[in-house]
Structure formats: structure tokens, C-alpha cells
Amino acid sequence: MVTEEDLRTVLAELHRLRTRVPQLTGALTAGVDGLVVAHDTPGVDPEGLAALTAAALGVAVRVTDATGNGALRELLVRGERGYVATYAAGRTAVLTLLAQDRVNVGRLHLEGRRAGARIGELLDAAEAVRPLPGTVPARTRGPGAPATAETRTATDS
């Protein structure tokens, strides 16, 4: 179960990331379902960004599947005034970073991948404590209850 302390830890990681990469203008952690986990996105609607990230992930996953390039690891979009980079963060979450056009993209990737891994470890550990919605843990499933398997997401590492 994701506790308030876990959420504070994720938010602190987003703040540290923005300190390490000064050209970042925002950072968001969201579930692959498009729901916000934590955000530091001044001037940007976090719920809208999380929903758009989920939609972009859906397309990107289909592209990687169609091309045989394996599971999606990251997505980079460059606009006239900056970048949007999304990184896998464990099995069920992603890290989306907003950066100015003058950001060092190599540094962005290095820090984004590291932060995504740290956030993913934390959230995956928290999720392991509680079953996913709609599932019944195998050891407590009663007779006649349907067996359910944990579904792996496109952001699996």
C-alpha cells in the first residue's frame, strides 16, 4: 500500500531531480492508468499531463510491439520550446519530465532513468504489500474464487 510517507518520498525525489537538472520545468509520477501519484509541475495541470502521458504510452507501446523492439523503456518528445520525456518507473508507474529546449538531453536521460528506477523500486515495494484492485491474493482465495494473475505493464523493467 502506498503510504503518505511513500508519497512524500516520491515528491522529494521529484524535487531533488529538479535541483540536479536546473532546466527541468516540471516532474510528474503517474500510474500507467493516467492517475497522478505525485507532481511538481508549476503552471501545468498534473491530471491532464498524467492522462496525456497514459495516452502517449499506449501509442508508444504499440509502436515498440509492432517493431519488435521489446518493452517500452522511455519516450522523448521534442517541441519548439522544450522536451517531454517519460521513463518507466517500475511495473505500474512512469516518470514524466518537462525540460527547456537548452537541456543537455544526455543528462536528462541519465537523471530521468535513475530517478525512474528509484521511484519504481519504491512504488513496486509499496504495491507488493497490497494486491492490485480486482485480484485476490492466492493464499487467501476461497474455494470457487477465480484465480487472477498479476498483469505486467508496458513499463516492466
Side-chain angles (χ1 to χ4, degrees):
M1 178 172 182
V2 179
T3 65
E4 286 296 319
E5 183 179 339
D6 293 334
L7 294 177
R8 282 192 298 273
T9 303
V10 171
L11 187 57
E13 179 62 34
L14 297 181
H15 291 304
R16 282 191 300 274
L17 181 58
R18 290 201 53 205
T19 299
R20 288 191 306 269
V21 184
Q23 296 80 20
L24 286 183
T25 59
L28 170 123
T29 300
V32 294
D33 57 3
L35 297 178
V36 175
V37 173
H39 70 91
D40 179 11
T41 56
V44 176
D45 172 37
E47 287 82 15
L49 179 59
L52 288 169
T53 296
L57 278 174
V59 172
V61 166
R62 291 185 66 188
V63 169
T64 58
D65 285 346
T67 57
N69 286 327
L72 179 73
R73 299 289 220 178
E74 57 197 41
L75 174 64
L76 181 67
V77 177
R78 183 177 182 200
E80 288 179 355
R81 291 182 293 279
Y83 293 88
V84 178
T86 299
Y87 303 92
R91 293 188 325 259
T92 61
V94 293
L95 169 66
T96 296
L97 303 177
L98 309 176
Q100 298 169 353
D101 190 44
R102 61 188 177 89
V103 72
N104 177 320
V105 177
R107 177 80 186 270
L108 176 69
H109 283 320
L110 176 71
E111 296 292 350
R113 290 170 186 152
R114 285 180 181 169
R118 282 190 295 271
I119 290 168
E121 288 171 7
L122 176 72
L123 294 178
D124 286 351
E127 285 295 319
V129 173
R130 75 175 167 90
L132 296 172
T135 64
V136 178
R139 63 182 172 275
T140 62
R141 189 173 50 240
T148 57
E150 181 178 319
T151 304
R152 294 183 63 85
T153 67
T155 60
D156 290 340
S157 299

